[in-house]
Amino acid sequence: MSINDNLFVIIMASAIFYGTPLVFASLGELLAERSGVLNLGVEGMMLLGAVAAAWVSTNVGGPAIVVLPLAIVAAMIAAGLGASIHAFLTITLRVNQIISGLALTIFAGAAGLSSYLAGIWQLGQTPVKQQFGKIDVFGLTDVPVVGPILFHQTLLTYLSWVLVIAASFYLFRTRAGLHLRAVGESPQTADSVGISVSRYRYFHVIFGGSFAGIAGACFSLMIVPTWVDGMTAGQGWIALALVIFGFWRPDLTLLGAYLFGALSSLGLTLQARGIHISTALLTALPYVMTIVVLVVVSNTASRRQLGAPAALGKPYEREER
Amino acid sequence: MVSQPSNTRRRLRFAGVAAVAVLAVVSLVATACSKSSSSGSSGGTVKAAWIYVGPVNDGGWTQAHDAGRKYVETKLGSKVKTTYKENVPEGPEVAQVINDLIKDGNTVIFATSYGFKDAMQAAATANPKVKFEMATGDSITLGQKVASNYNEFYGAGEDSLYITGIAAGKATKNNSIGVSAPFAIPEVIRGINAFTLGAQSVNPAAKVNVVWTKTWFDPAVERKSAESLVAAGADVIFSHQDSPSAGEVAKAKNLPWFGYDSDQSGPYSSVWQTAGTYNWGPFELSELNKVIDGTWKQNNYYGTIADNFAGLAPYGSTVAAATKTLMDAEITKAKAGKADAFGWYWGLADRQDQDGKTVITKGQTLTMKDLYTMSYFVKGTTGSPKG
């Protein structure tokens, strides 16, 4: 047995593989929430993305280098369209964000629109034609420990790292990012200095939603890889918890996603080695931590310190200024 | 609030609420879009309905049931009018679905998931003229009181798994076979035991390692479980759920792979071995024929390989010729028996559980009740039968 067969390496490699859709979904939700809009439609948008990506991969001919990016774009558009419904309802019509988000998940999610489209398109009988396989980066796969963990993942994982870095830079190092945070903190103030609250909110809800589409594509092009009804199996809800868990910061959210990924495969890996710890307990652990974080941020002062957008969930009405 | 909301804003709010309502309605319609299919004419026909837990194209359990419905349609032609409801959750909705189907004039209801059992029994008591057929139910066998217009049917899927176990026992090189299993319930436990005994019948050193996924359906978890088994040393994978994601793992590592319920060979032909399958049509046909000629009665059916209820998916190209011969010999043996004979292998020797306690003695024939209450793993299995 080589060093790369040990439990730690196996679990870390699998944590990153299975954490990848969570990184995309929670990063997108983070952008929306930073603008002050909570979107509970992540699960539904993920399934829209998954079905669109599966369709492209199954029906568009050509080499993988063309088809796979197309599939990702299709996933982003499909989920972005879903997000635009939420954006219109909550930003223009100022509908309750929780209700609108839930409606989006029910409408688009399992046994909803995504399943309906898959039925029409006859997806799910066979695996998708083109999929994201693990690649060997710079031939470093066999390097002890870090090889399998960092250099033997799929392109989607590397894309997620690029996006996390870009989002961190955007949020904390650019003018637009500053404006975005202002809109999420105090839309009145932002408005008074001439920042268009609704434009910022529209853009980030829709663009963030399209990230959920990539997360869905991770399932239908990388993990399973075929279309299966309701294939995201609740991961969209975990992504929502992760945003809180990561204090609305891209880097911490990524770590949280991998922690969720690790704990969810840890139970099975231990079981296969004859160690019996309740799988249910292990998978529940991250939620316990999320509850702890929720308790911490429930206090207004600590909320501000930890980065919770102060205007999160509140519709902005200019007249009430 | 300082100012009263203006009319425009009130109107906007209303439009928003209306939009949410429309969304909700659309999604409900989409959910309830359980396509009905029907054939035949009215008058002198029996109307029968199927209730499915999954979509008809799930490539597994529900698809096999729908194949049964289509078989009945083909065989009975204008004498039957069939309907189905797919994606019905195992919850309070079932009772409503059953009532709607009865209101639509269906006189035979086939329910195809264990979680529908209570609602089916309640409906049977309330609708004595309708026949209720509950697949996988165990109440009659376990001696619970049910109405006489309620019947249960299932079959010896474990007999097919015994034969697939033979292929697994032959295929493993390091004597470690990984099983990714859903829930620790008797149905699954007896299947794994039969599989283990089949493997040990040709390879006494074979060990079966069981990992519980606690789901019938979660492609990511199924894939993880297969990976964890391979990481723990298994060189043959049997996934007791429907999604093909475990097949991906097997394909990537080039390990022999056994599926469940259906032929999943297509894209995995390089690793596909076989799967135990169910053939629901012939039984359902005979039940409907009995309804038509008025001879239907409760029969607590348990199908076998001999009457073509249980079977095997086509063997994969990598199954060795000698292994195929061994498996075919067992199938011949099963078919030579009486049509209602099942489980010929349990009592071939004294069988011990994981603790070494004798649970089956040589020559013993297991009853349906023994099978429906099985809660131990036989020796050679790792993993807990408690889940």
Side-chain angles (χ1 to χ4, degrees), chain A residues 18 95 107 111 127 222-225 228-229 264 271-273 317 320, chain B residues 1 9 13 16 27 31 209 211-212 217 219 223-224 227 231 248 267:
Chain A
Y18 293 102
V95 169
F107 163 66
M222 174 180 116
I223 293 179
V224 177
V228 191
D229 260 23
S264 69
Q271 242 196 83
R273 286 162 193 247
E317 306 193 32
E320 284 174 5
Chain B
M1 284 305 126
R9 242 167 57 209
R13 278 243 175 84
S27 64
T31 313
N209 191 4
V211 162
W212 298 109
F217 172 77
R223 179 174 177 147
K224 277 181 215 170
E227 284 171 350
E248 280 295 322

PDB file of all heavy atoms in Angstrom, chain A residues 18 95 107 111 127 222-225 228-229 264 271-273 317 320, chain B residues 1 9 13 16 27 31 209 211-212 217 219 223-224 227 231 248 267:
ATOM      1  N   TYR A  18     -16.608  15.801  -3.883  1.00  0.00           N
ATOM      2  CA  TYR A  18     -18.038  15.956  -3.582  1.00  0.00           C
ATOM      3  C   TYR A  18     -18.384  17.340  -3.054  1.00  0.00           C
ATOM      4  O   TYR A  18     -19.549  17.719  -3.019  1.00  0.00           O
ATOM      5  CB  TYR A  18     -18.496  14.869  -2.595  1.00  0.00           C
ATOM      6  CG  TYR A  18     -18.455  13.504  -3.221  1.00  0.00           C
ATOM      7  CD1 TYR A  18     -17.427  12.623  -2.936  1.00  0.00           C
ATOM      8  CD2 TYR A  18     -19.427  13.117  -4.142  1.00  0.00           C
ATOM      9  CE1 TYR A  18     -17.358  11.381  -3.542  1.00  0.00           C
ATOM     10  CE2 TYR A  18     -19.365  11.883  -4.756  1.00  0.00           C
ATOM     11  CZ  TYR A  18     -18.336  11.015  -4.445  1.00  0.00           C
ATOM     12  OH  TYR A  18     -18.275   9.806  -5.061  1.00  0.00           O
ATOM     13  N   VAL A  95     -41.907  40.962  -3.292  1.00  0.00           N
ATOM     14  CA  VAL A  95     -42.568  39.829  -2.646  1.00  0.00           C
ATOM     15  C   VAL A  95     -41.652  39.299  -1.552  1.00  0.00           C
ATOM     16  O   VAL A  95     -40.433  39.461  -1.622  1.00  0.00           O
ATOM     17  CB  VAL A  95     -42.836  38.739  -3.701  1.00  0.00           C
ATOM     18  CG1 VAL A  95     -43.270  37.438  -3.068  1.00  0.00           C
ATOM     19  CG2 VAL A  95     -43.870  39.221  -4.684  1.00  0.00           C
ATOM     20  N   PHE A 107     -41.198  24.793  -7.860  1.00  0.00           N
ATOM     21  CA  PHE A 107     -41.539  24.893  -9.278  1.00  0.00           C
ATOM     22  C   PHE A 107     -40.490  24.222 -10.157  1.00  0.00           C
ATOM     23  O   PHE A 107     -40.811  23.456 -11.063  1.00  0.00           O
ATOM     24  CB  PHE A 107     -41.673  26.377  -9.629  1.00  0.00           C
ATOM     25  CG  PHE A 107     -41.633  26.679 -11.097  1.00  0.00           C
ATOM     26  CD1 PHE A 107     -42.656  26.236 -11.932  1.00  0.00           C
ATOM     27  CD2 PHE A 107     -40.597  27.411 -11.643  1.00  0.00           C
ATOM     28  CE1 PHE A 107     -42.625  26.515 -13.290  1.00  0.00           C
ATOM     29  CE2 PHE A 107     -40.566  27.698 -12.999  1.00  0.00           C
ATOM     30  CZ  PHE A 107     -41.573  27.246 -13.821  1.00  0.00           C
ATOM     31  N   ALA A 111     -39.461  16.609  -9.381  1.00  0.00           N
ATOM     32  CA  ALA A 111     -40.849  16.390  -9.765  1.00  0.00           C
ATOM     33  C   ALA A 111     -41.506  17.675 -10.242  1.00  0.00           C
ATOM     34  O   ALA A 111     -42.713  17.766 -10.371  1.00  0.00           O
ATOM     35  CB  ALA A 111     -41.663  15.771  -8.615  1.00  0.00           C
ATOM     36  N   PRO A 127     -26.039   7.301 -19.660  1.00  0.00           N
ATOM     37  CA  PRO A 127     -25.160   8.359 -19.176  1.00  0.00           C
ATOM     38  C   PRO A 127     -24.976   9.427 -20.255  1.00  0.00           C
ATOM     39  O   PRO A 127     -25.158   9.158 -21.439  1.00  0.00           O
ATOM     40  CB  PRO A 127     -23.840   7.646 -18.921  1.00  0.00           C
ATOM     41  CG  PRO A 127     -24.192   6.234 -18.778  1.00  0.00           C
ATOM     42  CD  PRO A 127     -25.387   5.998 -19.631  1.00  0.00           C
ATOM     43  N   MET A 222     -20.489  15.153 -13.827  1.00  0.00           N
ATOM     44  CA  MET A 222     -19.272  14.758 -13.129  1.00  0.00           C
ATOM     45  C   MET A 222     -19.524  13.650 -12.112  1.00  0.00           C
ATOM     46  O   MET A 222     -18.850  12.631 -12.124  1.00  0.00           O
ATOM     47  CB  MET A 222     -18.687  16.001 -12.435  1.00  0.00           C
ATOM     48  CG  MET A 222     -17.501  15.778 -11.548  1.00  0.00           C
ATOM     49  SD  MET A 222     -16.961  17.356 -10.825  1.00  0.00           S
ATOM     50  CE  MET A 222     -17.242  17.048  -9.100  1.00  0.00           C
ATOM     51  N   ILE A 223     -20.503  13.822 -11.252  1.00  0.00           N
ATOM     52  CA  ILE A 223     -20.653  12.865 -10.160  1.00  0.00           C
ATOM     53  C   ILE A 223     -21.399  11.616 -10.597  1.00  0.00           C
ATOM     54  O   ILE A 223     -20.954  10.501 -10.347  1.00  0.00           O
ATOM     55  CB  ILE A 223     -21.340  13.522  -8.942  1.00  0.00           C
ATOM     56  CG1 ILE A 223     -20.414  14.575  -8.340  1.00  0.00           C
ATOM     57  CG2 ILE A 223     -21.685  12.478  -7.889  1.00  0.00           C
ATOM     58  CD1 ILE A 223     -20.977  15.309  -7.157  1.00  0.00           C
ATOM     59  N   VAL A 224     -22.561  11.789 -11.275  1.00  0.00           N
ATOM     60  CA  VAL A 224     -23.393  10.588 -11.495  1.00  0.00           C
ATOM     61  C   VAL A 224     -22.991   9.732 -12.688  1.00  0.00           C
ATOM     62  O   VAL A 224     -22.905   8.517 -12.494  1.00  0.00           O
ATOM     63  CB  VAL A 224     -24.872  10.995 -11.525  1.00  0.00           C
ATOM     64  CG1 VAL A 224     -25.731   9.773 -11.813  1.00  0.00           C
ATOM     65  CG2 VAL A 224     -25.261  11.594 -10.176  1.00  0.00           C
ATOM     66  N   PRO A 225     -22.637  10.164 -13.862  1.00  0.00           N
ATOM     67  CA  PRO A 225     -23.021  11.343 -14.589  1.00  0.00           C
ATOM     68  C   PRO A 225     -24.082  10.996 -15.637  1.00  0.00           C
ATOM     69  O   PRO A 225     -23.779  10.520 -16.704  1.00  0.00           O
ATOM     70  CB  PRO A 225     -21.741  11.755 -15.274  1.00  0.00           C
ATOM     71  CG  PRO A 225     -20.961  10.443 -15.405  1.00  0.00           C
ATOM     72  CD  PRO A 225     -21.652   9.397 -14.595  1.00  0.00           C
ATOM     73  N   VAL A 228     -30.767  12.126 -13.414  1.00  0.00           N
ATOM     74  CA  VAL A 228     -31.655  11.336 -12.582  1.00  0.00           C
ATOM     75  C   VAL A 228     -32.574  12.332 -11.879  1.00  0.00           C
ATOM     76  O   VAL A 228     -32.106  13.365 -11.398  1.00  0.00           O
ATOM     77  CB  VAL A 228     -30.889  10.522 -11.509  1.00  0.00           C
ATOM     78  CG1 VAL A 228     -31.805   9.519 -10.862  1.00  0.00           C
ATOM     79  CG2 VAL A 228     -29.682   9.837 -12.097  1.00  0.00           C
ATOM     80  N   ASP A 229     -33.850  12.040 -11.848  1.00  0.00           N
ATOM     81  CA  ASP A 229     -34.810  12.944 -11.197  1.00  0.00           C
ATOM     82  C   ASP A 229     -34.363  13.308  -9.785  1.00  0.00           C
ATOM     83  O   ASP A 229     -34.047  12.428  -8.992  1.00  0.00           O
ATOM     84  CB  ASP A 229     -36.179  12.258 -11.110  1.00  0.00           C
ATOM     85  CG  ASP A 229     -37.101  12.747 -12.212  1.00  0.00           C
ATOM     86  OD1 ASP A 229     -36.584  13.235 -13.231  1.00  0.00           O
ATOM     87  OD2 ASP A 229     -38.327  12.646 -12.026  1.00  0.00           O
ATOM     88  N   SER A 264     -19.462  13.845   4.967  1.00  0.00           N
ATOM     89  CA  SER A 264     -20.465  12.981   4.346  1.00  0.00           C
ATOM     90  C   SER A 264     -19.840  11.704   3.800  1.00  0.00           C
ATOM     91  O   SER A 264     -20.506  10.691   3.691  1.00  0.00           O
ATOM     92  CB  SER A 264     -21.224  13.735   3.250  1.00  0.00           C
ATOM     93  OG  SER A 264     -20.368  13.986   2.170  1.00  0.00           O
ATOM     94  N   GLN A 271     -17.340   2.819   7.683  1.00  0.00           N
ATOM     95  CA  GLN A 271     -18.173   1.617   7.629  1.00  0.00           C
ATOM     96  C   GLN A 271     -17.500   0.520   6.824  1.00  0.00           C
ATOM     97  O   GLN A 271     -17.480  -0.640   7.222  1.00  0.00           O
ATOM     98  CB  GLN A 271     -19.489   1.975   6.945  1.00  0.00           C
ATOM     99  CG  GLN A 271     -20.716   1.807   7.800  1.00  0.00           C
ATOM    100  CD  GLN A 271     -21.965   1.792   6.934  1.00  0.00           C
ATOM    101  OE1 GLN A 271     -22.328   0.781   6.377  1.00  0.00           O
ATOM    102  NE2 GLN A 271     -22.605   2.935   6.817  1.00  0.00           N
ATOM    103  N   ALA A 272     -16.960   0.903   5.649  1.00  0.00           N
ATOM    104  CA  ALA A 272     -16.338  -0.083   4.774  1.00  0.00           C
ATOM    105  C   ALA A 272     -15.119  -0.714   5.436  1.00  0.00           C
ATOM    106  O   ALA A 272     -14.677  -1.784   5.053  1.00  0.00           O
ATOM    107  CB  ALA A 272     -15.943   0.556   3.449  1.00  0.00           C
ATOM    108  N   ARG A 273     -14.560  -0.024   6.436  1.00  0.00           N
ATOM    109  CA  ARG A 273     -13.419  -0.579   7.157  1.00  0.00           C
ATOM    110  C   ARG A 273     -13.829  -1.178   8.484  1.00  0.00           C
ATOM    111  O   ARG A 273     -13.019  -1.384   9.379  1.00  0.00           O
ATOM    112  CB  ARG A 273     -12.363   0.512   7.362  1.00  0.00           C
ATOM    113  CG  ARG A 273     -11.661   0.789   6.058  1.00  0.00           C
ATOM    114  CD  ARG A 273     -10.943   2.094   6.030  1.00  0.00           C
ATOM    115  NE  ARG A 273     -10.584   2.386   4.643  1.00  0.00           N
ATOM    116  CZ  ARG A 273      -9.327   2.413   4.187  1.00  0.00           C
ATOM    117  NH1 ARG A 273      -8.332   2.205   4.987  1.00  0.00           N
ATOM    118  NH2 ARG A 273      -9.096   2.659   2.921  1.00  0.00           N
ATOM    119  N   GLU A 317     -37.517  49.664  -0.426  1.00  0.00           N
ATOM    120  CA  GLU A 317     -38.515  50.552  -1.013  1.00  0.00           C
ATOM    121  C   GLU A 317     -38.023  51.974  -0.863  1.00  0.00           C
ATOM    122  O   GLU A 317     -37.853  52.468   0.234  1.00  0.00           O
ATOM    123  CB  GLU A 317     -39.862  50.364  -0.301  1.00  0.00           C
ATOM    124  CG  GLU A 317     -40.282  48.904  -0.303  1.00  0.00           C
ATOM    125  CD  GLU A 317     -41.722  48.695   0.092  1.00  0.00           C
ATOM    126  OE1 GLU A 317     -42.536  49.586  -0.221  1.00  0.00           O
ATOM    127  OE2 GLU A 317     -42.010  47.661   0.699  1.00  0.00           O
ATOM    128  N   GLU A 320     -39.546  54.814   1.419  1.00  0.00           N
ATOM    129  CA  GLU A 320     -39.464  54.774   2.878  1.00  0.00           C
ATOM    130  C   GLU A 320     -38.181  55.387   3.417  1.00  0.00           C
ATOM    131  O   GLU A 320     -37.902  55.308   4.595  1.00  0.00           O
ATOM    132  CB  GLU A 320     -39.582  53.332   3.365  1.00  0.00           C
ATOM    133  CG  GLU A 320     -41.018  52.832   3.288  1.00  0.00           C
ATOM    134  CD  GLU A 320     -41.121  51.373   3.629  1.00  0.00           C
ATOM    135  OE1 GLU A 320     -40.109  50.763   4.019  1.00  0.00           O
ATOM    136  OE2 GLU A 320     -42.230  50.845   3.496  1.00  0.00           O
TER     137      GLU A 320
ATOM    138  N   MET B   1     -44.322  52.510  10.003  1.00  0.00           N
ATOM    139  CA  MET B   1     -44.430  53.040   8.639  1.00  0.00           C
ATOM    140  C   MET B   1     -44.869  54.496   8.697  1.00  0.00           C
ATOM    141  O   MET B   1     -45.832  54.826   9.363  1.00  0.00           O
ATOM    142  CB  MET B   1     -45.509  52.288   7.829  1.00  0.00           C
ATOM    143  CG  MET B   1     -45.160  50.903   7.309  1.00  0.00           C
ATOM    144  SD  MET B   1     -43.691  50.781   6.314  1.00  0.00           S
ATOM    145  CE  MET B   1     -42.856  49.498   7.232  1.00  0.00           C
ATOM    146  N   ARG B   9     -48.333  50.685  -5.286  1.00  0.00           N
ATOM    147  CA  ARG B   9     -47.532  49.692  -4.594  1.00  0.00           C
ATOM    148  C   ARG B   9     -48.385  48.521  -4.130  1.00  0.00           C
ATOM    149  O   ARG B   9     -47.954  47.385  -4.159  1.00  0.00           O
ATOM    150  CB  ARG B   9     -46.823  50.344  -3.419  1.00  0.00           C
ATOM    151  CG  ARG B   9     -45.329  50.225  -3.634  1.00  0.00           C
ATOM    152  CD  ARG B   9     -44.533  51.065  -2.738  1.00  0.00           C
ATOM    153  NE  ARG B   9     -44.783  50.806  -1.342  1.00  0.00           N
ATOM    154  CZ  ARG B   9     -44.641  51.742  -0.420  1.00  0.00           C
ATOM    155  NH1 ARG B   9     -44.284  52.950  -0.768  1.00  0.00           N
ATOM    156  NH2 ARG B   9     -44.850  51.465   0.832  1.00  0.00           N
ATOM    157  N   ARG B  13     -47.757  44.772  -5.042  1.00  0.00           N
ATOM    158  CA  ARG B  13     -47.712  43.682  -4.063  1.00  0.00           C
ATOM    159  C   ARG B  13     -48.643  42.568  -4.470  1.00  0.00           C
ATOM    160  O   ARG B  13     -48.308  41.412  -4.463  1.00  0.00           O
ATOM    161  CB  ARG B  13     -48.162  44.199  -2.694  1.00  0.00           C
ATOM    162  CG  ARG B  13     -47.095  44.882  -1.938  1.00  0.00           C
ATOM    163  CD  ARG B  13     -46.763  44.145  -0.645  1.00  0.00           C
ATOM    164  NE  ARG B  13     -45.627  44.800  -0.027  1.00  0.00           N
ATOM    165  CZ  ARG B  13     -45.739  45.874   0.762  1.00  0.00           C
ATOM    166  NH1 ARG B  13     -46.941  46.352   1.047  1.00  0.00           N
ATOM    167  NH2 ARG B  13     -44.684  46.428   1.269  1.00  0.00           N
ATOM    168  N   GLY B  16     -47.351  40.594  -7.162  1.00  0.00           N
ATOM    169  CA  GLY B  16     -46.313  39.700  -6.684  1.00  0.00           C
ATOM    170  C   GLY B  16     -46.891  38.452  -6.053  1.00  0.00           C
ATOM    171  O   GLY B  16     -46.498  37.331  -6.368  1.00  0.00           O
ATOM    172  N   SER B  27     -46.338  24.636 -10.480  1.00  0.00           N
ATOM    173  CA  SER B  27     -45.480  23.556 -10.026  1.00  0.00           C
ATOM    174  C   SER B  27     -46.303  22.369  -9.542  1.00  0.00           C
ATOM    175  O   SER B  27     -45.933  21.225  -9.744  1.00  0.00           O
ATOM    176  CB  SER B  27     -44.546  24.048  -8.927  1.00  0.00           C
ATOM    177  OG  SER B  27     -45.298  24.435  -7.813  1.00  0.00           O
ATOM    178  N   THR B  31     -46.120  18.699 -10.939  1.00  0.00           N
ATOM    179  CA  THR B  31     -45.924  17.545 -10.077  1.00  0.00           C
ATOM    180  C   THR B  31     -46.974  16.494 -10.363  1.00  0.00           C
ATOM    181  O   THR B  31     -46.694  15.313 -10.492  1.00  0.00           O
ATOM    182  CB  THR B  31     -46.043  17.957  -8.595  1.00  0.00           C
ATOM    183  OG1 THR B  31     -45.285  19.118  -8.414  1.00  0.00           O
ATOM    184  CG2 THR B  31     -45.565  16.849  -7.699  1.00  0.00           C
ATOM    185  N   ASN B 209     -18.452  -7.481   2.065  1.00  0.00           N
ATOM    186  CA  ASN B 209     -18.382  -6.290   2.918  1.00  0.00           C
ATOM    187  C   ASN B 209     -19.568  -5.371   2.584  1.00  0.00           C
ATOM    188  O   ASN B 209     -19.697  -4.917   1.450  1.00  0.00           O
ATOM    189  CB  ASN B 209     -17.050  -5.573   2.665  1.00  0.00           C
ATOM    190  CG  ASN B 209     -16.777  -4.485   3.686  1.00  0.00           C
ATOM    191  OD1 ASN B 209     -17.550  -4.311   4.632  1.00  0.00           O
ATOM    192  ND2 ASN B 209     -15.695  -3.741   3.497  1.00  0.00           N
ATOM    193  N   VAL B 211     -21.826  -1.949   3.042  1.00  0.00           N
ATOM    194  CA  VAL B 211     -21.917  -0.563   3.498  1.00  0.00           C
ATOM    195  C   VAL B 211     -23.347  -0.085   3.288  1.00  0.00           C
ATOM    196  O   VAL B 211     -23.918  -0.274   2.221  1.00  0.00           O
ATOM    197  CB  VAL B 211     -20.931   0.337   2.720  1.00  0.00           C
ATOM    198  CG1 VAL B 211     -21.315   1.793   2.857  1.00  0.00           C
ATOM    199  CG2 VAL B 211     -19.514   0.138   3.228  1.00  0.00           C
ATOM    200  N   TRP B 212     -23.922   0.460   4.346  1.00  0.00           N
ATOM    201  CA  TRP B 212     -25.303   0.953   4.233  1.00  0.00           C
ATOM    202  C   TRP B 212     -25.311   2.403   3.783  1.00  0.00           C
ATOM    203  O   TRP B 212     -24.677   3.257   4.396  1.00  0.00           O
ATOM    204  CB  TRP B 212     -26.023   0.856   5.590  1.00  0.00           C
ATOM    205  CG  TRP B 212     -26.139  -0.539   6.100  1.00  0.00           C
ATOM    206  CD1 TRP B 212     -25.467  -1.071   7.153  1.00  0.00           C
ATOM    207  CD2 TRP B 212     -26.960  -1.586   5.581  1.00  0.00           C
ATOM    208  NE1 TRP B 212     -25.829  -2.390   7.330  1.00  0.00           N
ATOM    209  CE2 TRP B 212     -26.744  -2.731   6.376  1.00  0.00           C
ATOM    210  CE3 TRP B 212     -27.865  -1.678   4.519  1.00  0.00           C
ATOM    211  CZ2 TRP B 212     -27.389  -3.947   6.141  1.00  0.00           C
ATOM    212  CZ3 TRP B 212     -28.504  -2.883   4.288  1.00  0.00           C
ATOM    213  CH2 TRP B 212     -28.262  -3.997   5.097  1.00  0.00           C
ATOM    214  N   PHE B 217     -32.143   5.919  -3.113  1.00  0.00           N
ATOM    215  CA  PHE B 217     -31.840   6.724  -4.263  1.00  0.00           C
ATOM    216  C   PHE B 217     -31.096   7.993  -3.878  1.00  0.00           C
ATOM    217  O   PHE B 217     -31.660   8.897  -3.305  1.00  0.00           O
ATOM    218  CB  PHE B 217     -33.129   7.091  -4.975  1.00  0.00           C
ATOM    219  CG  PHE B 217     -32.878   8.081  -6.046  1.00  0.00           C
ATOM    220  CD1 PHE B 217     -32.333   7.676  -7.228  1.00  0.00           C
ATOM    221  CD2 PHE B 217     -33.106   9.419  -5.830  1.00  0.00           C
ATOM    222  CE1 PHE B 217     -32.024   8.592  -8.193  1.00  0.00           C
ATOM    223  CE2 PHE B 217     -32.798  10.348  -6.792  1.00  0.00           C
ATOM    224  CZ  PHE B 217     -32.263   9.932  -7.971  1.00  0.00           C
ATOM    225  N   PRO B 219     -27.669   9.375  -5.955  1.00  0.00           N
ATOM    226  CA  PRO B 219     -26.545   8.981  -6.810  1.00  0.00           C
ATOM    227  C   PRO B 219     -25.191   9.316  -6.193  1.00  0.00           C
ATOM    228  O   PRO B 219     -24.263   8.513  -6.278  1.00  0.00           O
ATOM    229  CB  PRO B 219     -26.773   9.773  -8.088  1.00  0.00           C
ATOM    230  CG  PRO B 219     -28.231  10.051  -8.118  1.00  0.00           C
ATOM    231  CD  PRO B 219     -28.645  10.198  -6.688  1.00  0.00           C
ATOM    232  N   ARG B 223     -22.393   6.545  -5.160  1.00  0.00           N
ATOM    233  CA  ARG B 223     -21.052   6.560  -5.728  1.00  0.00           C
ATOM    234  C   ARG B 223     -19.996   6.552  -4.627  1.00  0.00           C
ATOM    235  O   ARG B 223     -19.028   5.811  -4.680  1.00  0.00           O
ATOM    236  CB  ARG B 223     -20.881   7.804  -6.616  1.00  0.00           C
ATOM    237  CG  ARG B 223     -19.507   7.880  -7.199  1.00  0.00           C
ATOM    238  CD  ARG B 223     -19.352   9.016  -8.184  1.00  0.00           C
ATOM    239  NE  ARG B 223     -17.965   9.032  -8.630  1.00  0.00           N
ATOM    240  CZ  ARG B 223     -17.569   9.385  -9.842  1.00  0.00           C
ATOM    241  NH1 ARG B 223     -18.449   9.751 -10.737  1.00  0.00           N
ATOM    242  NH2 ARG B 223     -16.305   9.359 -10.159  1.00  0.00           N
ATOM    243  N   LYS B 224     -20.229   7.376  -3.588  1.00  0.00           N
ATOM    244  CA  LYS B 224     -19.285   7.428  -2.472  1.00  0.00           C
ATOM    245  C   LYS B 224     -19.143   6.062  -1.818  1.00  0.00           C
ATOM    246  O   LYS B 224     -18.050   5.655  -1.450  1.00  0.00           O
ATOM    247  CB  LYS B 224     -19.797   8.391  -1.398  1.00  0.00           C
ATOM    248  CG  LYS B 224     -19.485   9.833  -1.640  1.00  0.00           C
ATOM    249  CD  LYS B 224     -20.029  10.665  -0.487  1.00  0.00           C
ATOM    250  CE  LYS B 224     -20.522  11.995  -0.991  1.00  0.00           C
ATOM    251  NZ  LYS B 224     -21.271  12.745   0.008  1.00  0.00           N
ATOM    252  N   GLU B 227     -16.984   3.864  -3.799  1.00  0.00           N
ATOM    253  CA  GLU B 227     -15.579   4.279  -3.662  1.00  0.00           C
ATOM    254  C   GLU B 227     -14.995   3.825  -2.329  1.00  0.00           C
ATOM    255  O   GLU B 227     -13.854   3.383  -2.254  1.00  0.00           O
ATOM    256  CB  GLU B 227     -15.458   5.808  -3.787  1.00  0.00           C
ATOM    257  CG  GLU B 227     -15.590   6.280  -5.221  1.00  0.00           C
ATOM    258  CD  GLU B 227     -15.694   7.794  -5.346  1.00  0.00           C
ATOM    259  OE1 GLU B 227     -15.859   8.466  -4.309  1.00  0.00           O
ATOM    260  OE2 GLU B 227     -15.632   8.283  -6.482  1.00  0.00           O
ATOM    261  N   ALA B 231     -11.856   1.428  -1.762  1.00  0.00           N
ATOM    262  CA  ALA B 231     -10.728   1.891  -0.956  1.00  0.00           C
ATOM    263  C   ALA B 231     -10.424   0.921   0.172  1.00  0.00           C
ATOM    264  O   ALA B 231      -9.286   0.811   0.629  1.00  0.00           O
ATOM    265  CB  ALA B 231     -11.021   3.278  -0.388  1.00  0.00           C
ATOM    266  N   GLU B 248     -20.101   3.785 -12.429  1.00  0.00           N
ATOM    267  CA  GLU B 248     -19.037   4.704 -12.834  1.00  0.00           C
ATOM    268  C   GLU B 248     -17.736   4.373 -12.114  1.00  0.00           C
ATOM    269  O   GLU B 248     -16.658   4.401 -12.700  1.00  0.00           O
ATOM    270  CB  GLU B 248     -19.432   6.149 -12.492  1.00  0.00           C
ATOM    271  CG  GLU B 248     -20.369   6.790 -13.470  1.00  0.00           C
ATOM    272  CD  GLU B 248     -19.746   6.966 -14.854  1.00  0.00           C
ATOM    273  OE1 GLU B 248     -18.551   7.288 -14.919  1.00  0.00           O
ATOM    274  OE2 GLU B 248     -20.462   6.771 -15.843  1.00  0.00           O
ATOM    275  N   PRO B 267     -23.747   1.375 -21.067  1.00  0.00           N
ATOM    276  CA  PRO B 267     -22.475   2.097 -21.072  1.00  0.00           C
ATOM    277  C   PRO B 267     -21.395   1.430 -20.220  1.00  0.00           C
ATOM    278  O   PRO B 267     -20.264   1.875 -20.213  1.00  0.00           O
ATOM    279  CB  PRO B 267     -22.847   3.452 -20.486  1.00  0.00           C
ATOM    280  CG  PRO B 267     -24.121   3.249 -19.783  1.00  0.00           C
ATOM    281  CD  PRO B 267     -24.785   2.059 -20.330  1.00  0.00           C
TER     282      PRO B 267
END
